[in-house]
Amino acid sequence: MAVDQQVPASDEQEVPERRRLIPAPRVFYPAAGLLVLFVLATAVFPEWMGSWISVANTSVVTELGWWYIGVVAFFVFFSIWLAVSPMGSIVLAKDTDDEPDFTLGSWFAMLFAAGMGIGLVYWGVAEPLSHYGAVPPGEAGATAALAAKSAMNVTFLHWGLHAWAIYVVVGLAIAYSVHRRGNPISIRWALYPLLGNRIRGFWGDVIDVVAILGTLFGVATSLGIGVSQIGAGLGYLGVVELDEAGNPATWLLIGLIIVITAIALVSVVTGVDKGIKWLSNINMGLAIALVVFILVVGPTVFILSDFMTQIGSYLTNFFALTFNARPFTEGGKEWLGGWTTYYWGWWMSWAPFVGVFIARISKGRTVREFVFGVLLVPTIVTFLWFSVLGGSGLYRELFGEGGLVDAEGAVNSNTALFQLLDGFPLSAVTSVVAVVLIVIFFVTSSDSGSFVVDMLGSGGDPNPPVWSRAFWAAMEGAIAAVLLWVGLRAAEAGLDVSPLGALQTMAILLALPFSIVMLMMCVATARALLRENKLREREQRRWFAGQIAQDIYDLENGGKARARVRGRSKGR
């Protein structure tokens, strides 16, 4: 049963957008103006901005843990409820007979690609080792084995179902709005079932602006950690010098952001979509090759055993991990602010970006296929990634020569991957592969992120102007650069902020208003699906009643006909 299409998008949508330099000025101007003002103010007053970020980090971010934990837990159970309910059979297409645009294998492959990113390369070795060297407050760490198991449990929490449930909420709302209702690709239109025609005005503009700001700061955070690892890799290869702590200079990181953003801008302006596609395929191939290489030359049996054991441990401790706000442990709130709260904020800031991507490739899928596909496929791939890279690092600390965790239990996140590769054959080659991986992730993330932001800033136009796409790509690089600069100045002034810490704090803060938008999206999606399911059940009951009436009529008339035949036979 096809569902009637909603009212036309908006008056702005009805005007041919290519006749206008800025298709959606009520969204573009506020978002662009706020970002330009932020970049200028941050560049001119770095000490003041560093002080403000330090205060926000200590007095706001550390207090948000309970909120993010509750909201993200709700997203997980909301997603599963939709999938297992009768609404799970609703098709994300105008006609229920529409076939999916991609085969199941291709769809899974693209979901896998969506799960790969700079963060996995950066944290693949560093996060499990960080939790092993400094056991999270309240976790079991009496022995090295317990510390290692707790480290993998927490890592799986941060990169598992919870992260992808965040993407399900946004992706499903957009997919239903676009493929089922025929609306533009815009966050505001996913909220039509809740807000109605109010999305055409001020509140719809606010929603899209919040989504743009959050996405840009989320992508900027990824770019910041990407260049940090690129700089460390170049240091390991002897191309640049690292400081005494093994970290690249902040000036080098800012220079790398400028250079790689310039490469991304060339991609944007020249429109080398096929080139980006090939780069993405090459990157996926390199990532698979790297993980297979470590799996083969590393402690293979330990890695596979760790993978199976940790999946069981993750499922067994799922509820305890999900709802642990660590209120009874010293330093619990501070730890959450640096890890779990940061991750949930980071995922939320990326949700419009990834949500639009998975929505566009999911036309023709049922709600059930969408939810379970998005939740399970990337999660399993991610768990394998951390078991191979992080498991190899833990094996070296538990049974090998160690050296990845210092005497104070600290891990250098920038260099951890290269330190691990240094212990395997062909370390120079694999280190180059790792650097290339991060560079391509940087370019494709910047290009794709600016494209999605440009669609949002152009009122849902699937082919927004190239010049504005280049503007957003430049803004991503500018945000990453000025926040790294602010973090450096704050650290020099003795404030509790590092260069990457400044990026993390802003990602968490900007994700806060979008978390409210996401809750509204849950209500809107549930209302739309429940209404459609109710109409579908009513149609089914009506059809069933009609069939019964027809059967009764056939039986009655068939009986009368047979009686007349018998009567005529007796008369003869």
Side-chain angles (χ1 to χ4, degrees):
M1 179 187 68
V3 177
D4 293 338
Q5 185 171 325
Q6 284 177 224
V7 292
S10 69
D11 294 339
E12 290 187 2
Q13 297 298 328
E14 295 167 3
V15 178
E17 295 180 353
R18 284 180 177 77
R19 297 178 186 174
R20 307 174 63 175
L21 181 63
I22 299 176
R26 297 201 315 263
V27 174
F28 182 90
Y29 284 132
L34 288 172
L35 287 168
V36 171
L37 181 63
F38 174 84
V39 170
L40 292 177
T42 304
V44 175
F45 306 106
E47 290 84 0
W48 177 84
M49 183 60 70
S51 176
W52 180 83
I53 291 176
S54 177
V55 172
N57 186 53
T58 55
S59 62
V60 179
V61 170
T62 56
E63 304 297 331
L64 292 176
W66 66 273
W67 168 257
Y68 281 91
I69 286 172
V71 166
V72 174
F74 171 76
F75 293 156
V76 174
F77 297 116
F78 174 78
S79 302
I80 295 173
W81 169 66
L82 288 180
V84 300
S85 72
M87 295 176 288
S89 59
I90 293 175
V91 179
L92 300 172
K94 291 182 181 179
D95 191 333
T96 55
D97 294 329
D98 285 351
E99 293 293 324
D101 288 344
F102 304 97
T103 65
L104 193 63
S106 298
W107 187 59
F108 282 158
M110 285 186 283
L111 290 178
F112 166 77
M116 298 300 297
I118 292 174
L120 279 180
V121 182
Y122 186 83
W123 291 112
V125 178
E127 180 165 355
L129 288 176
S130 296
H131 299 322
Y132 171 78
V135 179
E139 295 294 325
T143 66
L146 286 176
K149 187 175 182 179
S150 295
M152 292 300 288
N153 280 341
V154 174
T155 301
F156 276 24
L157 167 70
H158 292 158
W159 293 84
L161 296 176
H162 296 73
W164 287 94
I166 292 172
Y167 296 152
V168 165
V169 167
V170 178
L172 181 60
I174 295 174
Y176 183 84
S177 174
V178 173
H179 300 314
R180 192 73 170 148
R181 297 291 189 173
N183 291 321
I185 303 173
S186 177
I187 300 296
R188 70 169 72 193
W189 283 99
L191 293 169
Y192 183 87
L194 178 64
L195 299 180
N197 287 326
R198 282 174 290 183
I199 62 168
R200 297 173 180 272
F202 172 77
W203 289 111
D205 299 335
V206 170
I207 289 166
D208 281 342
V209 169
V210 167
I212 289 172
L213 296 179
T215 301
L216 283 170
F217 277 91
V219 174
T221 301
S222 297
L223 303 187
I225 67 174
V227 295
S228 298
Q229 198 169 33
I230 291 171
L234 294 176
Y236 253 77
L237 294 172
V239 179
V240 299
E241 293 185 2
L242 302 178
D243 61 20
E244 296 179 356
N247 296 318
T250 302
W251 284 108
L252 172 63
L253 302 183
I254 295 174
L256 286 171
I257 288 177
I258 294 172
V259 171
I260 303 177
T261 299
I263 297 173
L265 281 172
V266 172
S267 167
V268 168
V269 173
T270 56
V272 288
D273 294 332
K274 292 183 178 179
I276 289 296
K277 179 181 178 181
W278 279 106
L279 284 176
S280 298
N281 292 337
I282 291 171
N283 225 23
M284 192 184 305
L286 290 176
I288 294 172
L290 180 64
V291 80
V292 169
F293 172 80
I294 296 175
L295 178 62
V296 171
V297 303
T300 307
V301 174
F302 175 85
I303 289 172
L304 296 177
S305 300
D306 177 42
F307 178 59
M308 297 304 298
T309 301
Q310 287 304 140
I311 288 179
S313 181
Y314 173 75
L315 295 175
T316 301
N317 297 286
F318 182 80
F319 286 95
L321 290 168
T322 297
F323 294 102
N324 190 359
R326 308 179 191 275
F328 305 114
T329 53
E330 184 179 355
K333 290 193 300 183
E334 290 74 16
W335 185 91
L336 281 176
W339 288 101
T340 306
T341 305
Y342 156 64
Y343 271 124
W344 295 169
W346 192 20
W347 300 144
M348 287 183 199
S349 63
W350 268 72
F353 176 16
V354 180
V356 167
F357 172 76
I358 60 179
R360 291 191 69 177
I361 66 174
S362 299
K363 182 181 179 180
R365 297 289 166 193
T366 66
V367 170
R368 186 171 294 115
E369 286 177 322
F370 182 95
V371 171
F372 284 139
V374 175
L375 278 183
L376 297 180
V377 174
T379 294
I380 293 172
V381 171
T382 301
F383 284 177
L384 180 62
W385 177 275
F386 277 99
S387 295
V388 173
L389 274 72
S392 297
L394 290 173
Y395 181 87
R396 182 178 299 186
E397 290 298 317
L398 290 168
F399 307 110
E401 65 274 19
L404 301 176
V405 181
D406 64 22
E408 286 75 31
V411 176
N412 189 321
S413 302
N414 293 330
T415 61
L417 173 62
F418 301 103
Q419 289 176 281
L420 177 70
L421 295 176
D422 196 42
F424 293 130
L426 304 174
S427 60
V429 175
T430 53
S431 295
V432 171
V433 168
V435 171
V436 172
L437 265 175
I438 304 163
V439 171
I440 299 178
F441 274 136
F442 190 122
V443 174
T444 54
S445 294
S446 178
D447 183 80
S448 304
S450 61
F451 180 70
V452 170
V453 166
D454 201 10
M455 283 194 295
L456 298 177
S458 299
D461 182 7
N463 296 296
V466 173
W467 75 265
S468 55
R469 188 172 165 183
F471 169 78
W472 296 119
M475 291 306 300
E476 290 164 0
I479 292 169
V482 296
L483 284 177
L484 285 174
W485 165 240
V486 164
L488 173 66
R489 297 298 296 268
E492 292 175 348
L495 299 174
D496 186 24
V497 179
S498 65
L500 283 181
L503 284 164
Q504 293 176 351
T505 299
M506 291 304 299
I508 295 172
L509 293 177
L510 266 295
L512 180 60
F514 192 67
S515 68
I516 299 173
V517 173
M518 289 181 66
L519 287 173
M520 296 169 64
M521 294 176 84
C522 290
V523 176
T525 304
R527 176 176 291 187
L529 291 175
L530 286 168
R531 183 186 299 122
E532 179 168 344
N533 190 63
K534 185 177 181 180
L535 292 174
R536 186 173 60 170
E537 289 178 346
R538 185 181 300 167
E539 288 288 331
Q540 290 172 345
R541 288 195 299 269
R542 187 177 300 159
W543 176 87
F544 186 64
Q547 286 295 109
I548 292 176
Q550 184 65 44
D551 290 344
I552 293 173
Y553 175 82
D554 292 342
L555 287 171
E556 289 177 348
N557 286 275
K560 292 177 181 178
R562 286 192 294 273
R564 285 195 297 269
V565 171
R566 285 195 299 270
R568 286 194 295 269
S569 299
K570 290 178 181 179
R572 286 196 295 268

